[in-house]
Amino acid sequence: MEAGSRLAALSLLLSTVLSPCVCTVSPDQINPLVYEEQLLWVSGTQGEVSTYRIPLITFTSKGSLLAFAEGRKSSSSDVGAKFIAMRRSTDKGATWSPTTFIVNDGTHPDGLNLGSVLVDEDVGSVILIYSFCFHLYHCQPSSTMMVESLDDGLSWSPPKNLSVQLGVKTFAAGPGFGIQKRHAPAKGRLVVCGHGTIEGDGVFCILSDDHGRNWFNGAALKSIPYNQKKKAQDFDPDECQPFEMTDGSIVINVRNQNNYHCRCRIVVRSYDGGLSLPVDEVYFDYTLVDPAVAAGALQKDGVLYFTNPSNEQHRINLTLRWSVTHGQSWESKAVQIWAGPSGYSSMTSLDSGSPEDQKYIFVIYEKGQKNYDETISFVKIHLYGGQ
């Protein structure tokens, strides 16, 4: 072999070994296995909490794992007084701290609703965005709120009302995670997406270019007819999960509240850092059958992962799917995480660059025997463990 050919071959080998597996993962390589599972919260068993719902999960910039949920004080209803509950793990989910309540809304008739968690890698902060008085039940106006931790989730700032910056609007973040853009355009920007009221529903994003000190309104994909009562099959995008693709675009996987066009997920993409969501970029993913629920979505090393109760009518059969074609298609094989009642879910992974951390994703979801809101469960999944 000539010197030039040997050099080219060596270069190809090194790039294969050393570079992350972006867009080069073979479907045969991925064979997920539910590696570990444990219950983080059980409804009705802890003091002042009736029901735990709306699970969120993230890794901090220091590698700690933080799990959050609403602790609904008096009932399972979306309205009413609540805590934000948190548990923390420093060993990637093997053990967890006791529950702490980091926000308490007292006895408010229409208290807080989670929400999105995001990590600013540049400054090491963890930010929670949630709403207050979202349903306008015995209170007004609705407010978008924020708390922040600068010490890896050990302590949290007093709540800050972002409506002073965003204007008075009814906005419910997530539920899921917000993102910090790692690629151009708008590298470093914080992006949180959510939805509006039932009449004024749609996907809306709020953005920050200064690490969460100031926020402004970004993209909107409004329901039709907007600010009017909805009927079955109206276009009504709702709860959503954004994630960044390797080309810098933001894909948002959306709950199809009124089953417009299909009983499946709506997907939309932004190419300008969350400033707009063109209708040209809206499509319906027929493979992702959905009973209208908040779902988990994650991009890791060029592979997309998706979790939801995979059923057209009922919140049962929590399933993990994956795509090696940027979401253009999904592998026919799927992993059933739980066959029974299951509701909202969210995912995270640790992108440390180490081979060990490339093997795992982490799922948190609502799980039950008779009803999906009986517990919140944490699952560690080995992406190559089924081989």
Side-chain angles (χ1 to χ4, degrees):
M1 183 183 291
E2 295 182 3
S5 300
R6 287 197 301 270
L7 184 59
L10 178 60
S11 175
L12 177 61
L13 176 62
L14 287 174
S15 66
T16 303
V17 171
L18 298 178
S19 63
C21 49
V22 176
C23 307
T24 60
V25 175
S26 165
D28 298 333
Q29 290 179 269
I30 301 174
N31 196 6
L33 175 72
V34 175
Y35 196 68
E36 297 172 4
E37 181 163 6
Q38 55 185 302
L39 298 182
L40 294 187
W41 289 287
V42 178
S43 294
T45 64
Q46 259 190 307
E48 300 176 63
V49 174
S50 164
T51 307
Y52 287 98
R53 282 214 60 203
I54 323 298
L56 313 179
I57 193 165
T58 191
F59 273 101
T60 69
S61 57
K62 293 183 178 179
S64 297
L65 197 54
L66 304 182
F68 304 89
E70 286 182 16
R72 300 182 172 185
K73 296 180 183 179
S74 58
S75 74
S76 62
S77 173
D78 290 346
V79 301
K82 307 175 191 73
F83 299 104
I84 296 180
M86 187 195 80
R87 297 187 70 178
R88 183 173 180 267
S89 173
T90 56
D91 53 14
K92 301 178 184 178
T95 61
W96 293 84
S97 69
T99 297
T100 56
F101 296 133
I102 63 173
V103 179
N104 179 359
D105 62 21
T107 59
H108 203 280
D110 189 9
L112 64 89
N113 288 103
L114 277 177
S116 288
V117 60
L118 66 93
V119 175
D120 187 322
E121 298 283 356
D122 296 339
V123 298
S125 66
V126 183
I127 293 172
L128 269 179
I129 304 290
Y130 62 97
S131 61
F132 189 79
C133 187
F134 176 78
H135 307 90
L136 304 176
Y137 179 70
H138 296 310
C139 58
Q140 60 178 330
S142 176
S143 297
T144 302
M145 308 294 292
M146 166 183 155
V147 291
E148 182 177 21
S149 175
L150 298 173
D151 57 5
D152 208 48
L154 293 173
S155 65
W156 294 82
S157 68
K160 177 181 178 181
N161 193 332
L162 301 183
S163 300
V164 176
Q165 300 169 3
L166 298 171
V168 175
K169 57 185 291 185
T170 307
F171 171 75
F177 59 80
I179 60 175
Q180 181 177 40
K181 292 201 81 275
R182 307 316 300 172
H183 308 284
K187 182 177 179 180
R189 172 174 289 167
L190 306 183
V191 181
V192 172
C193 300
H195 68 100
T197 63
I198 296 300
E199 290 81 10
D201 213 348
V203 174
F204 304 94
C205 298
I206 62 172
L207 315 172
S208 174
D209 288 332
D210 58 3
H211 309 292
R213 286 188 293 273
N214 295 284
W215 293 83
F216 59 98
N217 293 302
L221 177 68
K222 294 182 177 180
S223 58
I224 302 172
Y226 185 63
N227 264 340
Q228 299 177 44
K229 285 188 176 181
K230 298 295 188 292
K231 296 180 180 179
Q233 284 82 53
D234 278 347
F235 181 65
D236 196 8
D238 195 77
E239 294 169 321
C240 58
Q241 177 59 71
F243 52 93
E244 186 177 18
M245 300 294 285
T246 53
D247 66 356
S249 64
I250 299 170
V251 172
I252 308 177
N253 193 291
V254 187
R255 171 176 174 163
N256 189 356
Q257 177 65 22
N258 283 23
N259 301 310
Y260 177 81
H261 201 65
C262 64
R263 292 183 178 272
C264 68
R265 304 292 292 184
I266 302 171
V267 182
V268 63
R269 187 186 297 242
S270 173
Y271 286 96
D272 56 10
L275 293 174
S276 68
L277 293 170
V279 70
D280 316 43
E281 298 298 331
V282 175
Y283 71 92
F284 300 86
D285 197 322
Y286 302 107
T287 303
L288 304 182
V289 171
D290 190 70
V293 70
L298 179 73
Q299 187 276 125
K300 180 178 175 66
D301 296 331
V303 180
L304 302 187
Y305 298 94
F306 177 81
T307 54
N308 80 328
S310 185
N311 186 283
E312 287 192 354
Q313 302 283 349
H314 305 290
R315 293 182 178 182
I316 58 172
N317 186 34
L318 193 86
T319 300
L320 171 70
R321 297 186 180 277
W322 58 96
S323 170
V324 296
T325 60
H326 308 293
Q328 297 175 28
S329 63
W330 297 86
E331 296 305 305
S332 57
K333 181 179 180 181
V335 171
Q336 185 184 71
I337 297 175
W338 176 244
S342 40
Y344 288 22
S345 60
S346 187
M347 282 186 281
T348 193
S349 67
L350 185 56
D351 297 323
S352 66
S354 77
E356 184 69 13
D357 290 331
Q358 285 184 323
K359 297 176 183 177
Y360 298 100
I361 59 174
F362 302 83
V363 180
I364 191 170
Y365 73 103
E366 298 171 337
K367 174 183 182 179
Q369 298 289 337
K370 294 182 178 179
N371 301 297
Y372 62 83
D373 61 2
E374 294 169 8
T375 70
I376 290 178
S377 189
F378 165 79
V379 180
K380 181 177 182 179
I381 295 178
H382 195 311
L383 297 176
Y384 313 102
Q387 295 192 20

